Amino acid sequence: MQHYLFYFINRIGGRLFLLLSACFCVMTAGAQTGTIRGVIKDSTFGETIPGAVVRIDGAANQGKAADIDGNFEFSQVAPGTYTLIVNAVSYKALRLEDVKVIPGKVTELELSLGQATKEIEEVVISATRASGSQKAVIAEIRQSHQVVSGISSEQIRTSQDRDAAQVMSRVPGITIVENRFVMVRGVPERYNQVLLNNVIAPSTEIDRRTFSFDLIPSSVLDRMMVYKSGTAENVGDFAGGLIKIYTRNAVEDDFTSVSISTGYRSGTTGNNFLNAPGGSATDYFGFDNSRGLPASFPETEAMKAASRRSELRNEAGKSMTNAFVPQQTTALPNLGASVSAGRRWGLGGGKSLSMITALNYSQSYQYYVRDFHRYFTWQPEDIDQDRPIHPWFNYNDHTYEKENRVGLITNWQLKLNAFNRIDFRNLVNQIGENTTIIREGEEFQQYAGLPRRNYMMGYRGRTIYNGQLEGTHHLTQSNTTLNWVLGANYLGESEPDLRRFRTFKPANEDVYQLILPPSSNLFDAGRYFGQLKETGGHHALNIDKRLGGTEERPFTVKAGYLADYRQRTFSARYFSYLYPGQNDPTVGEDIKRMPLDQVFSPENIKTENGLTIEEGTRTIDQYDASNFLAAGYVHGLIPVGNFNINAGLRMEYNVQELNSTNDAGAPLEVHNPVWSPLGFLNVDYLINDKMQLRFAYGRTVNRPEFRELAPFMFYDFKMDASKVGNPNLKTAYVNNFDFRYELYPREGETYSIGAFYKNFINPIETQIFVMTEQPGLGFLNAESAYNYGAELEVRKSLKGVTGSRFIDRFSVNVNASLIRSEVSYGDSVARAQDSKRPLQGQSPYIINAGLYYRDENAGLQFSAGYNIFGSRIYAVGSYLFPTIYEMPRHALDLTVSKKFGKHIALKFGIQDVLNARYRFYQDSDVNGVADAKKDHPIFTYKRGSLYTMTFTYDF
């Protein structure tokens, strides 16, 4: 079945892309009528009131019932002034006069019902009320029965954040790893679970379990919520956070918007730039069609069976492109463009259809020099004695990174009536990364004292598709809400022709000499080709029934099930160029000294006195894997006095399967069926209408990812280390405790302070181990771990604080976290590492601060965002390769935007104003901390500040 799904996605993908893009051309004629639209809320608790009846006074057949979100709408209303009457059970009726309807406009209302009459003046609003507003997100946090943090699209728009990863850095307890992975509360990113619009997102990386948040452009985000405590209705495979990404969905008004942006990066833009060779015009759209192996290239079995002097190898070598010289160009300014459109159509009979579609394109350049060091640490008999540090190598990595990205989002919503709707959401991203690294310096072991120049040139293309069909139905007579979801995922990654080779300059010579290996390996004169494809399907059904209570505090029971299936195939091939023995050695020496554009030319590929290619691919270099998850749950929400008790049980049955081979070529099969009973308890205590306390407990799991189980070995040039999986990994279990106090002084404001504790059983970690010539990176289970800390968040408007109208326009957002953790390997710990230490990736503190200024009359906005985190373990070390720490770094971003009339807006921003250095140090004295004054750097670099300008025109 999965093959048909893959065929469907690939077959119709291009046509669907063209069809959906054509939606931008749809423009509706000017309307002669207007629309009244609004939401009805409880005046005390701020919760929406489904089923409230709204009618236009004096008009026949104009009664409308609010839908399950408390929304109502009157379309095609003749221009004029009207009176609305609102009724709901247990609420006092509301009469709203002087509601104006303007041709072609939307009159937007937010109505409150309660015990006291609230005077409401004439309302004529054309702005859109969205779930992604700051007030809406804070209301969602307040009404949630979990410990949750979030960020709104309104806050996103005031920054220069380009993608979801940068956006997430503003959330309490969040740190960003490698500019695209998210860590919650100091827990490594592999412990997070990500949902895209309520569908489980795939792991996007070959070599780790994580989701790459840079895949999601910030312009398509509605809001992002980070659930730090669990409930039975949500997936149980998380410990750090359950991150829900919501893309923009239905629109309130028709719109078309075009944006163009450009960026200047200090140290990069306008300078010489190197690209990995071999590309074509498709590189501009994020995918490759020219770097792969020739169609007639022999299969692995034939290549390995052929002798080094065979004609088959000779012809195969000649058929490969001679592309070993980086292409020199100039780093242009970064470029971005987007077109978005939203439309809403009334279908009659209470039905409506809305659409939002956005097409994004960007191209960016990045150059920096990374100082890269490694040392020998000689181990004495007593590991606690002082150990001399000797340099292994000192390199400067000249790194050139070019990225092209195309993204499409198209979301549709069909409202059948006030109580039934269907949503169809699609997200497609195509990203191409062209990377060249020229490593210069000296190694003090092999070819000691001789200048070295090593090369890596590669291109990686990634495709991700996520789609959902979701239905929500409110059955008013039985007080039941039914929700169902069908989802599909596709992940494709291609890394064709990754070239890695080393050279050195012999003494008394002026040219660098190529290092040719005696047999095929991963890092000398090598070419690597990797392909990954993953497809997945998802289905969930949820039933929520109200059994009693009040509108404000209902007594409900919810139950449902989930089925999720993923299948992945991965394969790799790699080759090295050799100069076989029994050839004339002088010819080989001449070839190794040739310029790079000549040494691998077809003229030098010969059966005698020439180069030959040798394939090193093993059966271990491919795997097939699948994961099936079935889950069922039941939980209830019970109001008792001032308490809201949310308790439930979830049962998950998960089967992981992986097929590959071991080092000896024997079949290796992983079959891990695991039953996991998971319990959850969330208790809210309502102190008054502005203050509440929360307590939460949940038992969750953390399962190995496909790559962590696969024995496939990959050489990482950037780290000069090999990565390998561990098929013996076990599922980890986590007990989570949370406590939080929340204060909501005014709408859109919140103060909170909380504490948390997590206990891990069999936590999964990445460890450095010793290999023959470079360190290795692998995965293993520790015996136990714990993690605890405190969090503080303040979102405050300065309106009314001083009486100054200027100060009234400011608001602040500050959050901070203090975290401690410890991992224990018990009695089985090897001398290769510490028996106890902090969790990998855990920072002792995290601080985020934002200052915002907004003058709506002048159309002017300003924001400043600051972030810092404490030193954290980047890679767990061994006696020969001590633990590497990432050191603290101050980051400051500034943004200012200005609207000119109704159609034009300009935004200027500076990312990373301070351009602070990234610093990674090893714990040379093995005392459990890294100190820049006495420990040794592994790699350090600066990326440069980025200056951006964005022009937007709204039609």
Side-chain angles (χ1 to χ4, degrees), residues 287-436:
F287 66 94
D288 170 74
N289 71 346
S290 60
R291 294 180 177 88
L293 288 169
S296 59
F297 199 85
E299 298 294 332
T300 298
E301 293 77 9
M303 285 291 295
K304 301 195 76 169
S307 68
R308 290 180 172 178
R309 294 175 176 269
S310 68
E311 191 61 33
L312 183 142
R313 282 207 197 181
N314 185 48
E315 292 301 319
K318 291 179 180 293
S319 69
M320 301 178 80
T321 58
N322 178 25
F324 284 84
V325 178
Q327 298 172 342
Q328 184 165 322
T329 181
T330 301
L332 300 175
N334 291 354
L335 173 67
S338 67
V339 182
S340 58
R343 296 293 181 268
R344 188 182 184 94
W345 298 276
L347 304 179
K351 300 181 179 65
S352 66
L353 176 66
S354 65
M355 172 276 293
I356 179 171
T357 300
L359 181 64
N360 303 276
Y361 176 82
S362 66
Q363 177 176 272
S364 63
Y365 294 83
Q366 171 78 75
Y367 166 75
Y368 58 93
V369 179
R370 186 183 74 156
D371 299 330
F372 186 18
H373 309 272
R374 185 166 291 155
Y375 313 89
F376 268 123
T377 305
W378 302 106
Q379 182 188 21
E381 293 296 323
D382 185 352
I383 198 170
D384 294 324
Q385 295 178 11
D386 291 336
R387 296 181 291 169
I389 303 297
H390 301 278
W392 185 335
F393 58 66
N394 293 324
Y395 288 135
N396 290 322
D397 285 357
H398 297 265
T399 305
Y400 304 83
E401 298 170 343
K402 180 184 178 184
E403 179 186 276
N404 292 86
R405 178 185 306 212
V406 179
L408 172 69
I409 177 176
T410 179
N411 290 348
W412 299 74
Q413 185 178 93
L414 174 64
K415 282 193 174 182
L416 301 174
N417 52 47
F419 303 101
N420 296 274
R421 73 167 185 257
I422 297 175
D423 294 283
F424 180 49
R425 308 182 187 96
N426 298 271
L427 176 68
V428 182
N429 268 288
Q430 182 67 46
I431 298 178
E433 300 166 341
N434 190 312
T435 303
T436 296

Side-chain angles (χ1 to χ4, degrees), residues 753-770:
I753 184 169
F756 63 89
Y757 175 82
K758 298 177 182 291
N759 175 260
F760 298 77
I761 303 170
N762 298 323
I764 301 171
E765 289 204 308
T766 303
Q767 178 204 11
I768 299 177
F769 58 89
V770 180

